[in-house]
Amino acid sequence: SQQGEEDPQALSIQEGENATMNCSYKTSINNLQWYRQNSGRGLVHLILIRSNEREKHSGRLRVTLDTSKKSSSLLITASRAADTASYFCATTRLNYNQGGKLIFGQGTELSVKP
Amino acid sequence: DTGVSQDPRHKITKRGQNVTFRCDPISEHNRLYWYRQTLGQGPEFLTYFQNEAQLEKSRLLSDRFSAERPKGSFSTLEIQRTEQGDSAMYLCASSSPGLAANEQFFGPGTRLTVL
């Protein structure tokens, strides 16, 4: 019952290049988050963007949100080998009945080659 | 370490056996979530607690699955009569209403393999 789809499913770049990942979702949301997961491990929260925001920055990360298109993008600038991981978008619709659960996309597997 | 912890990290069991996983959330977090993740997929929501109350269960949580959070602190997830399709990573997360819009902190996960 995942609601998000991510594109591309896999991305391979050289160190120093920028990486862009896209996420689309299906229903109205209150906010969208991006998480990173290193191979076989737990998820780490990267950045959150609220539905009334269009762009947000955090260090080398830039997130955009287009609620009219129900899509978001994550840009990682000046990538490093340590950025190699899977990246997931996750949406939440804060509602007592739903309890704030996260609905994840399928993820983009990023490989940064030194 | 004050993050979310899960135990065990790995579990190998035979089909038909029961297994139980434990999650210890961040101490001041009153919300606790269980997710399941299969290879190549994003995590899927299983269930959610606020304090000791289980407020939502996914349809993925069949009657072989049960989760508890008896004192509003740690939680257990039990799978009875395991099947090979239960093989997955089981992730626990916690959050607090005071945090920015449902940011969740995840544990390292328990990887279950059912033979």
Side-chain angles (χ1 to χ4, degrees), chain B residues 48-94:
Chain B
Y48 154 62
F49 291 86
Q50 182 158 301
N51 300 312
E52 64 275 9
Q54 188 174 18
L55 296 184
E56 186 180 0
K57 293 193 295 186
S58 163
R59 294 173 191 173
L60 294 175
L61 216 64
S62 75
D63 56 7
R64 294 185 299 106
F65 288 70
S66 63
E68 295 182 344
R69 195 182 182 198
K71 296 182 180 179
S73 56
F74 72 92
S75 175
T76 58
L77 177 67
E78 181 183 16
I79 309 175
Q80 296 182 328
R81 305 181 303 281
T82 52
E83 302 173 355
Q84 288 184 327
D86 297 332
S87 294
M89 175 79 88
Y90 289 83
L91 294 164
C92 175
S94 69

Side-chain angles (χ1 to χ4, degrees), chain A residues 28-69:
Chain A
S28 297
I29 61 171
N30 275 6
N31 60 67
L32 185 145
Q33 304 178 50
W34 285 88
Y35 285 81
R36 182 186 72 214
Q37 184 177 39
N38 291 91
S39 180
R41 303 181 71 175
L43 289 93
V44 174
H45 180 266
L46 295 176
I47 192 166
L48 179 149
I49 186 165
R50 298 178 188 271
S51 60
N52 61 354
E53 297 176 313
R54 292 296 167 258
E55 186 171 313
K56 200 161 185 180
H57 297 254
S58 177
R60 294 184 296 113
L61 305 180
R62 173 179 166 250
V63 171
T64 61
L65 179 65
D66 187 335
T67 53
S68 66
K69 295 181 179 179

Side-chain angles (χ1 to χ4, degrees), chain A residues 1-2 31 33 35 37 40-43 45 48 50 88 92 94 96-102 104-106, chain B residues 9 31 33 35 37 40-45 48 55-56 60 89 91 100-104 106-109 111:
Chain A
S1 61
Q2 290 170 320
N31 60 67
Q33 304 178 50
Y35 285 81
Q37 184 177 39
R41 303 181 71 175
L43 289 93
H45 180 266
L48 179 149
R50 298 178 188 271
F88 295 92
T92 185
L94 285 175
Y96 178 80
N97 291 331
Q98 292 188 350
K101 66 185 178 186
L102 293 175
F104 285 86
Q106 292 182 321
Chain B
R9 295 289 303 276
R31 292 177 176 171
Y33 304 81
Y35 294 85
Q37 185 179 25
Q41 300 294 315
E44 292 182 292
F45 170 78
Y48 154 62
L55 296 184
E56 186 180 0
L60 294 175
M89 175 79 88
L91 294 164
N102 199 33
E103 176 183 346
Q104 296 183 15
F106 282 80
R111 183 169 295 284

